[in-house]
Amino acid sequence: MVQVDRQELLARLRQQVVEQHEAVYASAGDAFAHVAVREYFDLDDEEALEYCDVGGSRDKGVDAFWVDEDDRRAVLVQAKWASEPKNFSARAVQETEAAYRWLVRLGKGQGGSAAPRVVDAARTLARLRETEPDFPVHVFLIVAGDLTKGGREEEAKLIDDFSDEPAEFVVVTLDDLLAEYDERLNRESGVDAVHPEHTFTLRDDGFFEHHDEPQALVATLSGAELAEAAQKWGYRLFMRNLRYLLPGRSRGSVNAGIRRTLETPEGRQHFWYYNNGIAIVCDAYELDREALSVTIKNMQIVNGAQTTATLNHALDELQAEPVTSLLARIIAEPEEELRQNITFYNNRQNAVKARDLQSNDPVQDRLHREFLRRRRPWFYERKRGEWNALSARDADLKKKVGNRRVDNERAAQAAYAFYFDPGKARADKKNLFQPKRDGGYYEDIFSDSRTTAQFLLPYLIAEHIRAEKNRYLRSIRDIDPDRVSMTQRRLLSRQWVKFADQFLLGTISFYIEMRGGHDDKRLEELLAGDYQGMMAGAYHAAVRDLHSLFTRQERQAADTKKVFSVANYVKGNWDQAFIHLFAEWDAREAVGDPLDGVQLLSEDAREA
């Protein structure tokens, strides 16, 4: 497990804020909101940028907003930054409540003027509550420190006020945020090499064995002993669990409900009846019938991680009478494929991190080997932390590969945008590693015939687009939208670039299809040629052709007094974009080469 003390974690977090401030945001406070949302809610930078794009002078304290469709809730975040940890007063809580109340009023047309993204957020919430009046909003206050005594009193008052409406209030302290940051560092460091082992006391009438293949034990475990195991082993108990904590995503009502249950004697006594229990896979377990104990070797909690983590944080309550117990299924299965299936089917209710479940799929193994065999070898990372987990004996491999690493999650998204549908690649990213039988796209992306070149080119294009977007964000970071020059106005008119990564990739794919196709030989030619020259020209052409599309959509929305959201538009509508690109192509082809000057793709390059 990565050992990082609090001061080191805090230093790293501050550095992340500095980097986001320098690269994207005009203030350190907005940069902190991005970092906090990304780390606490386990998002990527693309998602955090979208959700935090509600800031500015008219955001009324709404630092981030989005609808979490998996958990059927809306999330509103206000973040409070301080360069040195501090205790925030009751005013921080009051301002967070005011942001929520204002957003509700704005959705009803009563909140005055606001930035377009905030208006869109408010109307989204209003529409949801028109059809589902009790649609919940989880309101988070994330502070770079803690709350004062008065702040805690105000927190308790707001939690009580929210109990009468479909809203829930959660304060995230700096320690909470650092804990999630620490978890991510551990998750990405290959800590699954550790094999947790723990012994639990059994009740004499509280267990039985299921004698089949694989062998299993169904038992009643002590909640306190499970909490002690969680304290001892930490994240290492949950490496196989796709839903471990999922901090901001699921901590809300579920974990708060579990915690409230444990606070009363009646709740602790009846916890076994209230809770669904947990599922554990292990290499083996040793059952001692005389001592009434079971020792679980290489213990992995594959379902019930939220329950376990909440028990961990309620250890004081668990020491009190009556004893808290819960049901557990303990499955002894050292065979890897079946362990993966058990994990998968215990987590089907939420497909996050399905990438990890596919990490040992034969196609993933084949691509890993074939990327290493390329003339210039690449490391194809099949699951989170695989690169970081390379041991010292692999130093030669690291030296051989250098910085040529392909993250298969980003590669999957790039491939789907390149070959299929950029809108779905952005909107439905969670299903890229789900099999088709469960509504996913895995077999389409990772077919047996898909070659390394067919992944590498889209991946490199996606990385180029990401770099260009970051360069653009830096160029507009310090522009005051209320005092702009003509040049700055033209720059700001291209803010759709913030969210159009996949559309830009799909557009460049369209160009390549029009000039030689997507067959493996053609893609290898593009990789071997003046790739950087091609990308510079292709990216410029893609921005040129898409700019007119987004400008037209924005103008049409304004004419009908609607709010046009690029972030929402690019989660679908590729069919409209594709028709637009064909029209642009035909119009430019009528007077010359649509890709004039784009190396490897222009008519001159094709003739040569």
Side-chain angles (χ1 to χ4, degrees):
M1 187 172 184
V2 173
Q3 297 297 321
V4 183
D5 64 26
R6 186 180 186 280
Q7 289 305 311
E8 174 62 19
L9 284 170
L10 183 55
R12 293 191 188 191
L13 191 71
R14 284 175 178 150
Q15 182 59 33
Q16 293 287 333
V17 173
V18 168
E19 290 174 0
Q20 288 296 325
H21 185 195
E22 292 176 348
V24 180
Y25 294 96
S27 73
D30 288 342
F32 172 67
H34 178 107
V35 172
V37 164
R38 183 189 66 199
E39 296 301 330
Y40 188 74
F41 295 90
D42 197 18
L43 306 175
D44 59 29
D45 273 315
E46 186 178 57
E47 293 167 319
L49 179 66
E50 175 186 340
Y51 301 156
C52 291
D53 189 49
V54 291
S57 59
R58 292 179 292 159
D59 67 3
K60 301 289 188 179
V62 180
D63 291 322
F65 180 87
W66 69 97
V67 176
D68 185 337
E69 295 180 355
D70 289 330
D71 283 342
R72 293 293 299 158
R73 65 173 183 168
V75 179
L76 183 152
V77 177
Q78 182 170 118
K80 296 293 186 182
W81 168 244
S83 57
E84 292 295 332
K86 61 175 281 187
N87 291 337
F88 291 81
S89 69
R91 183 177 177 181
V93 178
Q94 294 162 354
E95 289 176 351
T96 307
E97 179 186 12
Y100 164 69
R101 302 292 184 198
W102 174 73
L103 192 72
V104 173
R105 293 197 305 274
L106 185 64
K108 296 177 181 178
Q110 303 168 353
S113 63
R117 281 281 294 156
V118 185
V119 173
D120 184 56
R123 291 180 179 177
T124 297
L125 177 58
R127 283 194 300 271
L128 288 167
R129 284 188 167 172
E130 282 178 4
T131 56
E132 190 178 335
D134 291 334
F135 191 88
V137 178
H138 289 182
V139 180
F140 290 84
L141 169 60
I142 306 179
V143 295
D146 207 329
L147 295 184
T148 62
K149 180 181 178 182
R152 286 298 177 188
E153 291 171 351
E154 192 69 22
E155 173 195 13
K157 177 179 177 296
L158 182 54
I159 289 173
D160 186 59
D161 290 345
F162 273 3
S163 65
D164 295 328
E165 55 185 292
E168 183 171 326
F169 181 62
V170 179
V171 173
V172 179
T173 68
L174 180 61
D175 283 342
D176 295 329
L177 185 58
L178 292 177
E180 304 308 336
Y181 190 35
D182 186 43
E183 178 195 319
R184 176 173 282 203
L185 291 175
N186 278 285
R187 188 170 63 234
E188 294 176 352
S189 65
V191 298
D192 49 344
V194 179
H195 294 166
E197 181 175 317
H198 205 81
T199 299
F200 295 89
T201 304
L202 299 176
R203 289 181 6 191
D204 57 1
D205 61 345
F207 67 91
F208 70 88
E209 285 193 278
H210 179 67
H211 294 286
D212 203 343
E213 292 296 335
Q215 188 170 356
L217 177 71
V218 179
T220 293
L221 301 184
S222 159
E225 289 185 354
L226 184 59
E228 289 167 358
Q231 289 209 348
K232 177 180 179 180
W233 294 103
Y235 182 73
R236 290 168 286 185
L237 280 181
F238 308 98
M239 285 302 298
R240 286 183 171 273
N241 192 302
L242 304 186
R243 292 174 59 84
Y244 175 57
L245 277 186
L246 291 181
R249 293 188 179 181
S250 301
R251 174 172 287 172
S253 58
V254 178
N255 287 11
I258 294 172
R259 186 65 185 261
R260 284 193 294 268
T261 300
L262 297 171
E263 289 173 351
T264 66
E266 187 273 341
R268 291 192 296 275
Q269 182 177 3
H270 294 105
F271 191 80
W272 191 95
Y273 300 95
Y274 297 158
N275 189 267
N276 290 331
I278 65 174
I280 298 169
V281 295
C282 59
D283 289 346
Y285 64 81
E286 293 180 357
L287 177 62
D288 189 330
R289 294 180 181 274
E290 290 188 10
L292 288 177
S293 67
V294 60
T295 299
I296 306 174
K297 299 186 175 183
N298 194 13
M299 172 182 174
Q300 290 288 301
I301 297 174
V302 298
N303 191 265
Q306 288 189 72
T307 294
T308 306
T310 307
L311 290 172
N312 180 15
H313 288 92
L315 189 53
D316 290 343
E317 290 95 330
L318 296 174
Q319 306 295 347
E321 294 292 336
V323 172
T324 300
S325 60
L326 72 163
L327 188 67
R329 289 183 301 132
I330 303 164
I331 305 166
E333 180 48 65
E335 202 277 315
E336 179 62 31
E337 183 176 356
L338 186 52
R339 283 164 73 106
Q340 282 198 314
N341 286 337
I342 291 169
T343 304
F344 177 77
Y345 286 106
N346 272 276
N347 285 279
R348 285 186 68 181
Q349 71 272 31
N350 193 317
V352 292
K353 306 308 179 190
R355 164 202 190 180
D356 292 341
L357 288 174
Q358 301 286 9
S359 61
N360 290 323
D361 179 71
V363 175
Q364 297 299 316
D365 289 338
R366 173 181 66 79
L367 288 169
H368 181 78
R369 294 191 304 269
E370 291 179 358
F371 265 103
L372 286 173
R373 289 201 297 262
R374 288 187 64 87
R375 187 172 61 83
R376 298 183 72 211
W378 288 75
F379 187 89
Y380 178 79
E381 192 168 30
R382 293 163 290 188
K383 62 179 178 179
R384 292 168 294 167
E386 186 176 16
W387 173 256
N388 293 333
L390 285 178
S391 63
R393 68 175 181 273
D394 294 309
D396 288 343
L397 175 59
K398 284 191 173 183
K399 183 177 179 181
K400 179 181 177 182
V401 172
N403 62 355
R404 292 187 298 277
R405 178 171 49 149
V406 174
D407 176 284
N408 75 338
E409 190 169 40
R410 295 211 301 268
Q413 186 179 35
Y416 200 81
F418 191 86
Y419 298 111
F420 298 101
D421 188 323
K424 286 183 178 178
R426 181 174 176 89
D428 212 10
K429 187 166 65 173
K430 67 181 181 180
N431 278 323
L432 296 176
F433 283 84
Q434 284 284 18
K436 295 179 78 169
R437 67 174 181 270
D438 295 310
Y441 315 118
Y442 183 78
E443 293 88 347
D444 290 333
I445 301 168
F446 295 103
S447 65
D448 291 337
S449 60
R450 189 79 69 192
T451 67
T452 58
Q454 290 170 340
F455 282 105
L456 188 55
L457 186 67
Y459 183 82
L460 290 176
I461 295 173
E463 293 298 290
H464 183 94
I465 291 169
R466 187 206 301 252
E468 289 293 334
K469 178 177 75 174
N470 290 340
R471 187 176 294 112
Y472 171 74
L473 291 173
R474 287 193 295 273
S475 74
I476 67 170
R477 182 191 59 186
D478 299 322
I479 295 178
D480 181 350
D482 296 323
R483 301 176 62 184
V484 295
S485 66
M486 188 62 68
T487 300
Q488 290 173 329
R489 195 183 308 280
R490 282 196 294 268
L491 266 177
L492 291 177
S493 73
R494 295 209 315 265
Q495 289 193 69
W496 57 266
V497 168
K498 291 180 182 178
F499 310 112
D501 301 49
Q502 311 311 320
F503 267 43
L504 286 162
L505 180 53
T507 300
I508 294 172
S509 171
F510 168 77
Y511 297 155
I512 293 172
E513 178 65 27
M514 297 297 284
R515 287 289 165 81
H518 291 157
D519 65 272
D520 193 61
K521 181 180 178 183
R522 175 59 176 154
L523 300 187
E524 289 285 11
E525 288 175 352
L526 296 178
L527 287 167
D530 182 7
Y531 170 78
Q532 292 300 330
M534 177 193 76
M535 277 310 307
Y539 180 81
H540 175 78
V543 170
R544 174 198 69 193
D545 289 344
L546 287 177
H547 184 69
S548 56
L549 169 68
F550 289 114
T551 300
R552 184 174 70 245
Q553 293 296 325
E554 193 170 84
R555 188 183 304 116
Q556 290 174 350
D559 291 342
T560 56
K561 293 183 168 50
K562 294 180 179 179
V563 177
F564 174 62
S565 168
V566 176
N568 290 339
Y569 184 82
V570 296
K571 292 178 181 177
N573 300 301
W574 179 242
D575 53 344
Q576 293 181 19
F578 197 69
I579 292 170
H580 168 81
L581 290 174
F582 257 115
E584 287 285 310
W585 183 275
D586 288 344
R588 294 183 187 279
E589 195 173 41
V591 295
D593 180 5
L595 297 176
D596 183 38
V598 179
Q599 298 186 46
L600 304 180
L601 296 178
S602 67
E603 288 182 343
D604 290 343
R606 188 172 50 168
E607 291 168 1

